[in-house]
Amino acid sequence: MRRGLAAAVVVAALTISATACSGGSSGSSDASGPVTITWWDTSDATNEAGTFKALVKDFEKANPDIKVKYVSVPFGDAQTKFQTVAGSKGAPDVLRADVGWTPGFVEAGFLAPLDGTAAAAESGKFKQNLIEQAKHQGKLYGVPQVTDTLGLMYNKELFTKAGITKPPATWDELKADMAKVKEKTGVDGFAFNPQAYYAMPFLYGEGTDMVDAAKKQITLNSPAAVKGIDTLDSVLAAPGVRKLDTTSNAYANIMDAFNNGKVAAIIQGPWENANIFKGAAFKDKNNLGIAALPAGSAGQGAPLGGHNLVAYAGSDAKHQEASQKFIAFMTSAPSQEKIALANGTLPTRMDAFTAKVVFKPEIAAFHLALKDGVPRQPIPEYTALYAAMEPHLVDILTDRKTPRAGLDAISTAAQRLLPDYRNP
């Protein structure tokens, strides 16, 4: 999941029927020349895209009958933009899609199934929980390219100066440690990004989620959810914690503060590894500590995210075949190894965790944290629930609403997205 989640989701677009996908591929070909497919890459244009561009050239060299039109699309715009073009014309043949987009895109008829194709030929070599997350109603619609979760990133030097010898195992320990950092170093101990995605560990830590899809029940205002958000609220009120940033630049501001040693710890994922190592505080890469998130009363938990490569259902047969070859190449073990080594992100297949990859401490640490990753509920509206949650979460964290009142308001908003779900 990424980092500036789309602020709004065009839910209405999910109702567009599959017949709307007949606009065809934005790629081109003729009888005598190579087929050209279009790929929308949603990776970070500054820190990650260069690796993918290099792999595109490698693919074209290995497949001279296929050309790839590379297009960088900002992650925050990609979901809505794809929904718009997939319902008319101009859609890319291949999209790098957040794992949470799959159910909605499938139900709208936008994605082609990949079972039995070249794209899925090595699906048995992938982590099977990630393959399951790329399925909808039993069919495979994507091939996992990178995976991620959230961990506690911390500045080892600041922790040492504060007398902290190990990362906190509970949220109460985090509060105590952050007060020590502030007292001993003068630096803020912890900063929190008030996006719904980053609040999920506080729900998972109490054994709950936003919804229970199996029971068709909204759980956002359950006692466990209230306890989880109460815990988050208490963390942000603790001594040594940086004042909550609710501006539109909060994400960038928090990362800048952490990267330059002005805050000691944050909740973040491996997609920021390459960026963090450019910061003044982490010129020595060994100064970056990464640990599993502190536990709530029910244990640890963090959202299991990442990106799949998906194929557009409206492309013709020739473009579909070329897209499948491209997806297979980009998710192969050698490609995933290159991506991991260059970008510091996590592969999705076991044979890509080579000795070189696991030697990188930032990858090894997040790989261990994956065991506590919680997959998203398999419903099209799940990502939209984040958008429904965020304004009320900010109200809670800025004391405009109590956790109970804020979660009741979020549950009411969720009910509008999921009218057939019970809202106790």
Side-chain angles (χ1 to χ4, degrees):
M1 170 48 106
R2 189 74 81 187
R3 11 310 145 198
L5 294 162
V9 178
V10 185
V11 178
L14 300 180
T15 63
I16 297 173
S17 69
T19 58
C21 295
S22 59
S25 166
S26 59
S28 61
S29 63
D30 58 49
S32 59
V35 61
T36 298
I37 60 172
T38 299
W39 177 40
W40 281 11
D41 175 23
T42 60
S43 70
D44 183 276
T46 302
N47 299 312
E48 297 178 310
T51 305
F52 296 117
K53 289 178 183 178
L55 284 171
V56 166
K57 291 181 180 179
D58 291 342
F59 172 78
E60 290 178 329
K61 185 176 181 180
N63 297 271
D65 57 335
I66 304 173
K67 298 297 181 184
V68 180
K69 180 181 178 183
Y70 174 92
V71 181
S72 178
V73 179
F75 176 82
D77 301 334
Q79 184 180 17
T80 298
K81 189 172 182 179
F82 183 77
Q83 287 169 337
T84 300
V85 296
S88 54
K89 61 181 180 179
D93 300 283
V94 179
L95 171 70
R96 184 179 187 261
D98 182 271
V99 295
W101 300 347
T102 300
F105 285 173
V106 171
E107 294 197 5
F110 296 156
L111 303 185
L114 298 176
D115 300 279
T117 71
E122 295 188 329
S123 58
K125 296 182 180 180
F126 289 75
K127 290 177 177 287
Q128 285 307 295
N129 60 338
L130 303 181
I131 287 290
E132 289 303 313
Q133 202 166 234
K135 290 182 178 180
H136 189 61
Q137 296 179 345
K139 292 184 178 180
L140 183 69
Y141 287 94
V143 181
Q145 185 189 42
V146 296
T147 187
D148 58 54
T149 190
L150 292 173
L152 185 73
M153 288 186 165
Y154 62 96
N155 185 312
K156 290 182 180 178
E157 181 181 1
L158 291 174
F159 269 39
T160 299
K161 287 181 178 179
I164 302 167
T165 58
K166 61 181 180 179
T170 67
W171 296 115
D172 283 341
E173 287 184 16
L174 175 78
K175 289 189 285 186
D177 286 347
M178 298 309 97
K180 292 178 184 177
V181 169
K182 186 68 172 181
E183 179 185 356
K184 300 292 186 180
T185 71
V187 171
D188 290 329
F190 177 72
F192 180 75
N193 183 356
Q195 291 180 321
Y197 185 72
Y198 292 87
M200 295 309 295
F202 293 88
L203 298 183
Y204 297 149
E206 300 304 326
T208 192
D209 201 330
M210 295 189 288
V211 296
D212 184 331
K215 296 180 179 178
K216 286 199 167 185
Q217 183 174 347
I218 295 167
T219 55
L220 274 160
N221 57 352
S222 65
V226 173
K227 185 175 182 179
I229 300 303
D230 266 332
T231 298
L232 171 57
D233 208 20
S234 73
V235 167
L236 298 185
V241 174
R242 194 177 187 88
K243 182 180 178 182
L244 189 71
D245 187 339
T246 59
T247 69
S248 60
N249 294 323
Y251 185 97
N253 294 340
I254 290 168
M255 291 311 306
D256 180 71
F258 182 68
N259 294 351
N260 292 292
K262 297 176 182 177
V263 66
I266 58 173
I267 296 172
Q268 193 52 279
W271 56 85
E272 280 290 350
N273 282 339
N275 188 42
I276 287 170
F277 289 138
K278 294 179 180 179
F282 301 102
K283 294 297 184 183
D284 176 0
K285 292 184 177 182
N286 293 320
N287 191 39
L288 177 63
I290 301 170
L293 291 176
S297 65
Q300 292 168 305
L304 186 63
H307 293 82
N308 302 327
L309 294 186
V310 299
Y312 176 51
S315 298
D316 62 30
K318 191 172 183 179
H319 286 81
Q320 290 277 358
E321 183 179 359
S323 297
Q324 292 157 10
K325 289 182 180 179
F326 178 66
I327 290 173
F329 179 89
M330 295 297 284
T331 58
S332 67
S335 293
Q336 289 206 12
E337 181 188 38
K338 289 179 182 179
I339 294 166
L341 293 175
N343 295 350
T345 51
L346 302 179
T348 58
R349 45 190 296 162
M350 295 308 299
D351 54 352
F353 281 93
T354 62
K356 289 182 180 179
V357 171
V358 297
F359 182 75
K360 294 174 75 70
E362 67 273 21
I363 292 180
F366 271 112
H367 187 209
L368 290 174
L370 283 176
K371 67 180 176 59
D372 297 313
V374 180
R376 299 184 202 187
Q377 300 279 328
I379 58 174
E381 300 84 0
Y382 195 82
T383 301
L385 290 171
Y386 287 138
M389 182 179 184
E390 283 180 9
H392 303 290
L393 178 66
V394 171
D395 284 345
I396 294 169
L397 302 181
T398 54
D399 296 325
R400 289 195 291 266
K401 290 178 182 174
T402 65
R404 178 84 230 185
L407 289 171
D408 283 343
I410 299 168
S411 295
T412 298
Q415 184 77 69
R416 290 193 288 269
L417 292 169
L418 300 164
D420 59 337
Y421 273 52
R422 291 184 295 113
N423 190 354

